[in-house]
Amino acid sequence: MKKVLFIFTLSAGLIYLSACSGSTSEATVTDAAATPAAGQSAVQDDASAKNVVQVAVSSKDHSTLVTAVKAANLVDALSNAGPFTVFAPTNDAFAQLPAGTLDDLLKPEKIDALTDILQYHVSVGVFKPESFTDGQVIGQVNGGNITITKKDGKTYVNGTAVIVASIPASNGIIHVVDKVLLPPVNK
């Protein structure tokens, strides 16, 4: 009889604990639903290697690119696992655009054009400098293609932008370029 009473008491206690933890989970689910979801860029990790966005943010030479990526709402996409190859124009490259072009592209009503240009700078996959070949065509995220040219020991993108440095990132690689790549009108 004592054994049956013990099992009954233990079962009742487990049911009670189970019921209590269920109500806590419901409160947690409700609280989580009320909190707006943040994307991959909101993950705080100071121990791992930086992703392509974090590398760009930490570069004083890419503040214009970072501003554009934020304006186009691409921070979370580029913070994901990838892998990505990003052809990252410097601030000086953006300064070479005709006067007013960048300011115009940063307007909210121009987000589609800005997104198209920025996605023309991104490939899915990792293309390391040593893997580039003369005449190589690489598909870009926006649906267009870029062409790699090798001449006089330099690597060019679309015949005009020189790759001046390459930086590995946790989710791909960044190739710093000295010109902004503009997608052809007809991709």
Side-chain angles (χ1 to χ4, degrees), residues 38-162:
Q40 183 68 26
S41 63
V43 173
Q44 296 298 315
D45 178 6
D46 295 330
S48 298
K50 293 178 179 180
N51 64 42
V52 294
V53 173
Q54 293 165 328
V55 170
V57 166
S58 68
S59 168
K60 64 179 175 52
D61 295 324
H62 290 93
S63 58
T64 305
L65 176 62
V66 171
T67 297
V69 167
K70 287 177 180 178
N73 299 315
L74 294 174
V75 173
D76 283 332
L78 290 171
S79 296
N80 285 322
F84 303 112
T85 295
V86 177
F87 296 91
T90 61
N91 294 341
D92 289 341
F94 279 102
Q96 294 173 34
L97 293 172
T101 302
L102 182 61
D103 290 335
D104 189 49
L105 285 169
L106 292 174
K107 293 178 181 174
E109 63 270 16
K110 299 288 185 155
I111 193 170
D112 290 340
L114 179 61
T115 300
D116 185 47
I117 291 169
L118 291 173
Q119 288 180 342
Y120 189 62
H121 289 79
V122 180
S123 306
V124 175
V126 175
F127 296 92
K128 295 182 178 180
E130 61 272 14
S131 69
F132 289 135
T133 58
D134 193 43
Q136 182 179 10
V137 176
I138 300 173
Q140 300 302 93
V141 170
N142 77 334
N145 293 315
I146 60 168
T147 303
I148 301 297
T149 309
K150 298 193 124 205
K151 183 174 143 187
D152 298 328
K154 294 182 181 177
T155 303
Y156 293 84
V157 181
N158 290 347
T160 58
V162 177

